[in-house]
Amino acid sequence: MQTDRYSLFALLREAMRGNTGWKPAWRKATPAPTYDYVIVGGGGHGLATAYYLARRYGGQRIAVVEKGWIGGGNVGRNTTIVRSNYLLPGNEPFYECAMKLWEGLEQDINYNAMVSQRGVLNLFHNDAQRGAYIRRGNAMRLHGVDAELLDTQAVREKVPFLNFDDARFPIRGGLLQRRGGTVRHDAVAWGYARAADRLGVDIIENCEVTGIRLEGGRAVGVETTRGFIGAGKLGLACAGNSSRVAGMAGLRLPIESHVLQAFVSEGIKPFIDCVVTFGAGHFYISQSDKGGLVFGGDIDGYNSYAQRGNLPVIEDVCEGGMALMPRIGRVRLLRHWGGIMDMSMDGSPIIDHTPVQGLYLNAGWCYGGFKATPASGLCFAHLLARDEPHPVATAYRLDRFARGAVIDEKGMGAQPNLH
Amino acid sequence: MRLTCPFCGSRGVEEFTYRGDATVRRPAGEASAEAWVDYVYLRDNPAGPHQELWYHGAGCRSWLVVTRDTRTHQITEVRAARAVAQAEHKEGAA
C-alpha cells in the first residue's frame, strides 16, 4: 500500500519500511483532448486556483499547463514574506483573506509549508513616516487586522542590533504586524500541486502555450508544445509573461514586465527572528530556517524578461542593508537571482474577465504576488466557477484604468517601475 | 548593462533613468477617451527588441531612444530622442 496522506503515523510507518511506500507528490499527467477548465501557468497562483476550483467549487476536468517545471518560476524566486498590511480598501480585505488562508493552509492541503508567523516590522525614520504608518495601522485595524505601533524603545527590545542612531535616518519606531511572517515558497508550490493532483487535477509540465484558439470571438482552447488542449473556460495565471500570453488572444494589458532580484547570504547562527523592512531605502530582510539571510529591494526598473538583473541594484540593496544593520557587512552573499514581475500601471493586480469570451485573467501582481497566493487562487477559482468576482476581489477589475478607479497604494501614477 | 550615449560614450546604466516604451505617442487633446487610455495605460510589453526612453541624468541630460532586447538585455541602437522626433516630424510633413 502506498502512503497517500502525510502524518506522524505515515512517517513512522515509512521509517520502518525504508521509505519505500511514498507516492510521488503528483502524477506526470499527459494532456487530455479537452477540459472544463484549463489554467495557464503552474506557479503558486495557477496551482492554488486549480486546487480551490476542485475543492471549494466542485470543478471537474481541470488542467494546469506549465511551460517549465513546478516551482521553477516566481513562486520559487521570491523572498517568502507574507503580510496583510495594506492601506487601501480595495486591497486590505483581499490580503487579509490570503493571511487567513495561510494560517490554515497546512491542515487544509496536508503539507508542511513551514508557515511561520514571526512578525513583519516596517521601520520609520521621521515624523511624516510615523504619521503615514499610524494611518496605515488604523486602516488595517478598521478592517479587523492586527497592527501595532512600536516606539524606538520597543523596536530596540525586539531587534537591538539595528543602526538606531544613524545621523540621516535614525529609527523612530515601527509598525508591526505580528501575524505576518514567512512561508516556505517551494513547499507552497509542491503542496498545492499535490493537493490539486489528489482531487484529480492534471498538472501538465513542460507544456508551453504557443497560441490561444478563438472561435467566433470565444476562447476554446490553447495550442501548446504538446498539442491542442480544448478548454470550456481558460484562465491565465502566468504573471511575468501575462502580456505575451494575453497577446495571443489579441489583448494589450496595462502591464510592463520587470526584473526583481533577491539575495541569500551564507548560513549564520540565529540572528533575525522576524521580517524587518527599512523605511529610508528599499530593503527587507528575514532569516531562513537554514540560517541564510534572505533579502531584497527595488526592481531593476526597466522592461525585462531575462530573469537576471544588473549590478547597480545589487549595490543599492546591499547599501540599504549596511545602513540598517551594519553588522551584516562581513556576511558573504551566497547567491542571488531574478524573477520577472507583471508590473501593473497602478501597482495592484487584476482578477477579471477579459473582453474575449471564455478567457479569464489573473495578472499584474507586481512584486507582491507570493503573499497573495491562496487568496489569488480562491478568487480566481470563484470567478471561473461563478462568472462573478469574489467579494474580496471586486476592485481588481481590468477596466478600472479606463474608469479612473485605479488602486494606487504608493500614489505613483501610471509609471510601473515606481510601484 | 552599459549604454553608449551618443554624446558621452559608453556609460554604466546607473547614470540613466528609465521612462518606458518610446513608441507610444500622446494623442491630440480632442482624441477619444479610448485613445487616451491606450496612451496612458496600455503597452505592447514585447519579449524581444524594445524601443525605450532613457534619460542621461548623471551625464549630458539628454533623452535617448534605446533599442534593447528584453530577453537578453543586448542593446542594438542608441539615438538621441531629439533626432528621432525630428526624423518623425520630417516624415509627417512629407
Side-chain angles (χ1 to χ4, degrees), chain A residues 334-359:
Chain A
L334 183 67
R335 58 199 170 90
H336 81 285
W337 61 92
I340 302 306
M341 315 288 117
D342 268 10
M343 296 304 295
S344 69
M345 284 286 176
D346 62 354
S348 294
I350 297 156
I351 305 176
D352 201 1
H353 301 90
T354 69
V356 178
Q357 245 200 333
L359 182 67

Side-chain angles (χ1 to χ4, degrees), chain A residues 203-358:
Chain A
I203 295 166
I204 306 161
E205 293 172 83
N206 300 308
C207 180
E208 183 170 356
V209 169
T210 54
I212 293 174
R213 190 180 290 181
L214 303 174
E215 276 173 19
R218 188 186 165 81
V220 296
V222 283
E223 311 286 351
T224 77
T225 48
R226 296 176 70 174
F228 175 75
I229 303 173
K233 289 179 177 178
L234 182 61
L236 306 185
C238 45
N241 286 289
S242 297
S243 298
R244 289 176 62 201
V245 181
M248 295 170 189
L251 300 176
R252 285 174 85 221
L253 300 181
I255 286 172
E256 285 179 3
S257 295
H258 284 256
V259 60
L260 175 66
Q261 303 188 69
F263 310 84
V264 175
S265 78
E266 59 186 327
I268 57 174
K269 285 184 180 177
F271 171 47
I272 305 172
D273 65 358
C274 59
V275 178
V276 182
T277 73
F278 189 29
H282 201 167
F283 177 78
Y284 39 91
I285 187 165
S286 63
Q287 188 170 19
S288 78
D289 293 357
K290 266 196 297 193
L293 302 177
V294 183
F295 57 97
D298 268 326
I299 55 175
D300 269 42
Y302 44 81
N303 286 44
S304 175
Y305 286 90
Q307 290 191 320
R308 60 183 167 76
N310 271 291
L311 287 168
V313 166
I314 298 177
E315 199 175 356
D316 183 63
V317 170
C318 292
E319 282 169 357
M322 285 301 290
L324 179 66
M325 42 180 84
R327 70 158 56 177
I328 64 173
R330 294 293 182 89
V331 175
R332 284 168 298 186
L333 195 62
L334 183 67
R335 58 199 170 90
H336 81 285
W337 61 92
I340 302 306
M341 315 288 117
D342 268 10
M343 296 304 295
S344 69
M345 284 286 176
D346 62 354
S348 294
I350 297 156
I351 305 176
D352 201 1
H353 301 90
T354 69
V356 178
Q357 245 200 333

Side-chain angles (χ1 to χ4, degrees), chain A residues 240-241 243-244 252-259 300-312 315 342 345-346 401-404 406 414-415 417, chain B residues 1-2 12-15 17-21 23-24 33-34 37-48 50 52 54 68-74:
Chain A
N241 286 289
S243 298
R244 289 176 62 201
R252 285 174 85 221
L253 300 181
I255 286 172
E256 285 179 3
S257 295
H258 284 256
V259 60
D300 269 42
Y302 44 81
N303 286 44
S304 175
Y305 286 90
Q307 290 191 320
R308 60 183 167 76
N310 271 291
L311 287 168
E315 199 175 356
D342 268 10
M345 284 286 176
D346 62 354
F401 302 93
R403 286 185 292 115
V406 292
Q415 184 60 30
N417 64 348
Chain B
M1 201 158 81
R2 292 177 74 81
V13 72
E14 64 271 25
E15 290 190 6
T17 307
Y18 184 71
R19 185 62 181 90
D21 193 329
T23 61
V24 292
E34 288 76 33
V37 169
D38 197 282
Y39 164 67
V40 177
Y41 294 114
L42 301 185
R43 296 292 178 266
D44 290 337
N45 193 19
H50 186 234
E52 52 202 25
W54 290 82
R68 187 179 57 96
D69 194 314
T70 57
R71 294 164 303 183
T72 60
H73 298 169
Q74 196 193 5

Side-chain angles (χ1 to χ4, degrees), chain A residues 180-191:
Chain A
T182 60
V183 180
R184 171 77 200 279
H185 52 0
D186 303 310
V188 173
W190 300 331

